[in-house]
Amino acid sequence: MVELTKRQEERAKRLHKEAMVIDTHCDTLMRLLPQRGPRKARKLGERSEEGHIDLPRLIEGGVTCQTFAMYTGNRPIVPDATLNALKMVDVFYESVKRNDEMVAVTKAEEILNAKKQGKVAGMLSIEGAEPLMGDIGLLRVFYRLGVRMLSFAWNFRTPFADGIGAKRSESKLPELGIQALEEMVNLGMVFDVSHLCDSNFWDVADVMDGPFIASHSNCRALSDHPRNLTDDMLKALAEKGGVTGMNYAPSFVVPRDKINAGYKPTIEDLVNHIDHIVKVVGINHVGLGSDFDGIGQPPTGLEDVSKVPNITRVLVKRGYSDEDIKKILGGNFLRVFKQVLR
Ligand SMILES: [Zn+2]
């Protein structure tokens, strides 16, 4: 693991405590629903030996705001996606109700208040627009339920966009996608390009005036995975004031052939993506988007959310300034939330 001097350790500790730590993607909600098979549903308020996120570990990891994604699109047509999403909305609010150290948020101001009160903020998002059933009315319904971030597709095609797995997807966003995007801008919702196919990414970059984000995508220059962003995509995202959240999935961090050859990614490999983004577009466009509870084994040093302070330690080791570390940990995403969420 990373070795720091005593002074560096103290500085890392202080910075992590002071910083707004924001993570824009996890798949924890589905682990809180009744599980198929022998596995038991986890409880957000109880520390588990399984998975990556629960409230005790969020507190230990010094996380200020965790976005909880509702993911339902595990096949091309999901008839029960809306129902499943609603069940996740329910389990989210029930979990918040049962745990005093947590608060549901829909605005940047509420995240700042949570930090002041020493609570963990939780924000709802939808990963893949399957629950909307091609209906902009349902977009508004989910907005009213507190959803503030949305990606139009997971890996398949939805009525709003093509995901990275959609065949013959070298096209622009469909008309409905453009309409939904405009409605998101009107409502004040964060548009998330993670999982979009490349051509749809470029259409979003073309259509959007304000910032959009990639909630959990790394750099293709370091790991050539279709879920990661090319340098040109990073530049387009940065030009609109957007931010990309670093994903801890092994094959997003280092190339798959390296993993297949037995290499185990480390937290240092992950921070290489942060360095790369800073080099390509500057300090204002990178954040955290773990994908915890949606990935296999995370990099060594980042085994679960309680280990997030290790990212700060590596950033200190690499010589980032206090201000820059705070931007990476959450300041950049907070800036976008301030701008977009009303
Ligand atoms: Zn994902």
Side-chain angles (χ1 to χ4, degrees):
M1 255 314 288
V2 206
E3 300 269 332
L4 299 185
T5 64
K6 199 168 164 246
R7 266 186 77 177
Q8 286 173 324
E9 288 288 5
E10 277 164 12
R11 183 172 159 236
K13 216 172 190 176
R14 171 182 61 80
L15 276 171
H16 198 83
K17 207 171 168 187
E18 286 174 7
M20 303 292 297
V21 180
I22 298 178
D23 180 319
T24 46
H25 190 86
C26 76
D27 284 314
T28 307
L29 287 182
M30 61 183 177
R31 318 286 168 189
L32 308 180
L33 293 178
Q35 303 291 297
R36 263 184 245 151
R39 265 201 186 159
K40 273 175 66 179
R42 281 160 35 199
K43 290 196 171 71
L44 194 62
E46 288 177 12
R47 194 185 185 100
S48 174
E49 294 304 312
E50 283 175 48
H52 309 128
I53 286 184
D54 45 49
L55 188 52
R57 286 185 282 179
L58 280 167
I59 293 169
E60 202 177 311
V63 174
T64 314
C65 179
Q66 178 67 52
T67 298
F68 290 90
M70 298 183 274
Y71 158 72
T72 57
N74 56 351
R75 53 217 140 103
I77 307 267
V78 194
D80 47 2
T82 312
L83 178 62
N84 284 338
L86 290 172
K87 285 179 181 174
M88 283 186 258
V89 172
D90 179 56
V91 82
F92 172 74
Y93 285 112
E94 285 299 300
S95 301
V96 171
K97 195 170 83 184
R98 265 184 242 118
N99 292 286
D100 286 342
E101 303 105 317
M102 205 175 158
V103 60
V105 296
T106 56
K107 293 187 193 79
E109 201 187 354
E110 292 167 343
I111 300 172
L112 290 163
N113 282 339
K115 176 82 179 170
K116 270 184 214 145
Q117 294 167 4
K119 295 188 179 194
V120 177
M123 187 187 287
L124 279 175
S125 71
I126 294 180
E127 175 177 35
E130 282 84 357
L132 306 187
M133 296 172 74
D135 190 324
I136 293 183
L138 286 186
L139 170 68
R140 290 188 286 266
V141 169
F142 277 106
Y143 175 84
R144 286 177 191 270
L145 292 174
V147 175
R148 289 296 180 272
M149 189 184 293
L150 167 71
S151 66
F152 279 176
W154 185 65
N155 291 352
F156 303 111
R157 174 168 290 162
T158 74
F160 300 94
D162 285 350
I164 53 153
K167 299 268 189 288
R168 299 169 66 86
S169 59
E170 293 309 306
S171 59
K172 297 197 167 188
L173 284 181
E175 185 62 28
L176 190 63
I178 298 291
Q179 284 171 13
L181 201 151
E182 286 169 356
E183 186 64 357
M184 285 178 70
V185 172
N186 287 336
L187 290 167
M189 284 177 89
V190 177
F191 189 87
D192 178 7
V193 294
S194 281
H195 284 279
L196 279 190
C197 70
D198 287 7
S199 57
N200 280 189
F201 170 96
W202 286 111
D203 210 29
V204 171
D206 190 31
V207 169
M208 287 291 275
D209 290 324
F212 57 91
I213 69 161
S215 65
H216 56 310
S217 296
N218 302 347
C219 310
R220 242 180 256 184
L222 301 189
S223 181
D224 189 12
H225 190 293
R227 281 277 291 98
N228 287 344
L229 304 178
T230 66
D231 287 359
D232 282 342
M233 286 170 162
L234 288 169
K235 285 173 193 163
L237 180 102
E239 208 175 291
K240 299 291 162 79
V243 179
T244 186
M246 295 297 92
N247 190 319
Y248 312 161
S251 62
F252 292 26
V253 175
V254 297
R256 195 178 285 280
D257 50 3
K258 214 171 158 183
I259 292 168
N260 291 343
Y263 180 77
K264 234 189 120 345
T266 67
I267 190 169
E268 303 260 9
D269 293 313
L270 179 82
V271 176
N272 290 345
H273 287 261
I274 296 177
D275 288 351
H276 181 78
I277 293 169
V278 172
K279 193 180 81 192
V280 174
V281 293
I283 193 71
N284 296 323
H285 308 287
V286 59
L288 307 179
S290 63
D291 214 352
F292 273 145
D293 283 324
I295 57 174
Q297 211 178 3
T300 309
L302 260 178
E303 287 75 6
D304 64 20
V305 73
S306 71
K307 302 291 177 69
V308 170
N310 282 338
I311 294 178
T312 307
R313 295 176 67 243
V314 178
L315 293 171
V316 162
K317 177 102 187 170
R318 294 199 184 178
Y320 282 92
S321 72
D322 286 16
E323 194 194 347
D324 287 355
I325 290 174
K326 287 181 181 176
K327 283 183 173 183
I328 295 165
L329 291 176
N332 286 333
F333 273 128
L334 189 69
R335 181 192 74 233
V336 173
F337 291 170
K338 277 182 184 162
Q339 215 172 329
V340 175
L341 304 176
R342 285 190 284 275

